[in-house]
Amino acid sequence: MSIFPYKLVKVADGLRVWVPNHFCYTDFGVRDSKLQNRYGRRYVCTDTPGTGFIERESESHSYNDFVRRNIYSQRRRYGRMLLGREPNYRKEIKRTRAALDQAHEPMKRRILDSYLNALGVGEIEERIERIEQAIKNRVKQHHHNKFYVSVLSHYKHKVQQLEEDMRSVELDVKDTCSAEQYDAWLRLVEAFMKVASCRRIWHQNDHSRHQYEQVFFDLGIFDFIRSETFLPILRTSVGVTYYILPTCLIAARDSVDFDVIPLKGLAIVCQEMAVQETIELISSRLGDAASMLRVPALDQTWYFNHVRPIMHFVGAYDELRALQDSES
């Protein structure tokens, strides 16, 4: 555990710089820059390395506040660092190894194994990012000294090499399914993007005083799982987040505590709410709810203020799920 915010480190012969001990948030191992314009602006890390979401364009004040709260939580604060509340690669590696020892389900072991390898690469890159920050600060003070610039280029080249290493150890979605399943999954992701754009999404929480809590759907990443489109994220208000893959659903409580649920036999249903359906609580809390999405086997229900995008999504999901039966 670090008690000082900076550490004096030798980064080259004749050069020592003050390297920050705070965790450095980056999108290393998450996406390529060419995907940024299509799938959103910023990558927002949530809790642990390799898990987060891509901020999307939205006029929703509540969604923008949600993003800002997540970004604000990443601000460097000495107290967070001192108490170990910042993301930490070494701690995460230790947790992942323990979870891998206890895991028996093949897909879960596969995810944890690739995650463990990715964390090893990410830990090296994150330290280099902090070194680069320190060198850049020194460059500003010395007006682009050529020696400092050459040292900085050396570390940037190391990061490029690590990017190749990261791609080789990450679990690629394409390697988890057939070509037909992957194409169907891409169509599901396209449909899901329209669902995520719905202005209002509520999750039913029978243990909450309000029972219907606003949540947000996004595209993102879980445990450094690589995909060209990112994973659909269905959030709940009960501490579980769902990620849809071509052959399974990940029900994650955190980065190493999760269940892998095969899509085969896992029904998702959509129901349009009738105009005369005037449940008092729904009317007061949900207002303009027009449809609901249910996963009966998981006892999860979401409400939306739109109908058509939800139906298209369920249609795409049924198409994907049908392939599980035909290829089993």
Side-chain angles (χ1 to χ4, degrees):
M1 181 182 69
S2 301
I3 61 173
F4 299 107
Y6 294 91
K7 180 180 180 180
L8 188 62
V9 176
K10 179 182 178 180
V11 297
D13 289 339
L15 178 60
R16 293 177 180 269
V17 293
W18 289 100
V19 176
N21 284 324
H22 289 279
F23 179 82
C24 181
Y25 292 90
T26 73
D27 57 4
F28 175 79
V30 172
R31 64 177 179 179
D32 298 323
S33 58
K34 64 183 180 182
L35 296 177
Q36 183 172 353
N37 292 332
R38 184 177 182 186
Y39 292 103
R41 296 175 288 181
R42 290 178 290 188
Y43 165 65
V44 184
C45 176
T46 52
D47 299 327
T48 55
T51 297
F53 67 97
I54 304 297
E55 178 192 15
R56 52 184 167 78
E57 295 282 353
S58 175
E59 296 180 357
S60 168
H61 294 298
S62 54
Y63 177 75
N64 290 326
D65 286 343
F66 167 74
V67 173
R68 279 193 291 268
R69 287 196 301 271
N70 278 275
I71 296 294
Y72 181 80
S73 68
Q74 298 178 4
R75 292 182 62 186
R76 289 182 175 179
R77 290 191 287 271
Y78 177 72
R80 287 187 69 228
M81 184 197 75
L82 188 63
L83 297 175
R85 294 177 180 173
E86 292 183 343
N88 185 289
Y89 273 98
R90 291 185 181 180
K91 184 188 299 184
E92 193 67 6
I93 287 172
K94 183 177 180 180
R95 294 179 68 242
T96 305
R97 283 175 175 161
L100 188 57
D101 289 341
Q102 299 296 321
H104 302 289
E105 199 278 330
M107 186 60 176
K108 183 173 183 177
R109 289 192 58 84
R110 191 176 178 185
I111 293 172
L112 288 171
D113 185 58
S114 66
Y115 184 46
L116 181 61
N117 292 329
L119 287 171
V121 179
E123 181 182 20
I124 299 171
E125 192 279 339
E126 190 266 343
R127 182 175 181 274
I128 292 177
E129 288 280 356
R130 290 187 282 113
I131 289 174
E132 287 186 1
Q133 286 183 7
I135 297 173
K136 288 176 182 178
N137 292 335
R138 182 66 68 88
V139 169
K140 290 178 183 178
Q141 298 171 6
H142 292 79
H143 305 290
H144 301 283
N145 181 286
K146 289 184 179 180
F147 171 63
Y148 297 151
V149 173
S150 67
V151 175
L152 185 60
S153 298
H154 167 74
Y155 282 100
K156 287 184 176 180
H157 179 66
K158 279 190 173 183
V159 171
Q160 292 175 355
Q161 293 176 321
L162 288 171
E163 286 176 351
E164 296 179 7
D165 294 340
M166 189 61 127
R167 280 191 289 270
S168 69
V169 300
E170 286 180 319
L171 176 63
D172 194 323
V173 170
K174 285 184 178 180
D175 297 333
T176 68
C177 60
S178 67
E180 292 78 9
Q181 289 172 333
Y182 185 72
D183 289 340
W185 181 73
L186 291 179
R187 291 191 291 273
L188 177 140
V189 173
E190 289 292 333
F192 178 83
M193 290 173 64
K194 295 182 175 61
V195 174
S197 297
C198 290
R199 193 170 181 84
R200 295 284 188 272
I201 304 175
W202 299 269
H203 176 254
Q204 182 174 338
N205 183 351
D206 294 333
H207 302 290
S208 170
R209 181 170 60 90
H210 298 296
Q211 285 195 301
Y212 300 93
E213 304 286 343
Q214 186 174 10
V215 295
F216 305 98
F217 288 2
D218 280 301
L219 293 180
I221 186 172
F222 177 73
D223 283 6
F224 283 117
I225 296 176
R226 175 172 289 274
S227 65
E228 61 181 281
T229 62
F230 299 108
L231 310 180
I233 302 174
L234 293 80
R235 296 188 180 92
T236 72
S237 57
V238 294
V240 181
T241 302
Y242 296 97
Y243 300 84
I244 304 178
L245 274 70
T247 61
C248 63
L249 187 76
I250 296 176
R253 288 163 290 277
D254 63 36
S255 58
V256 298
D257 180 13
F258 61 90
D259 300 318
V260 177
I261 306 167
L263 295 189
K264 183 179 179 180
L266 184 66
I268 296 181
V269 297
C270 172
Q271 179 179 335
E272 183 175 0
M273 297 178 67
V275 175
Q276 65 270 23
E277 191 173 357
T278 55
I279 301 175
E280 181 179 354
L281 186 58
I282 291 181
S283 298
S284 62
R285 290 291 300 167
L286 306 190
D288 56 351
S291 66
M292 71 176 182
L293 185 73
R294 296 192 65 242
V295 187
L298 303 177
D299 194 25
Q300 300 292 348
T301 304
W302 293 269
Y303 292 87
F304 304 83
N305 65 336
H306 291 83
V307 177
R308 187 172 297 177
I310 318 305
M311 289 185 168
H312 287 172
F313 168 70
V314 172
Y317 176 81
D318 289 341
E319 178 187 345
L320 175 61
R321 188 164 65 97
L323 292 175
Q324 319 298 318
D325 299 328
S326 64
E327 298 185 15
S328 60

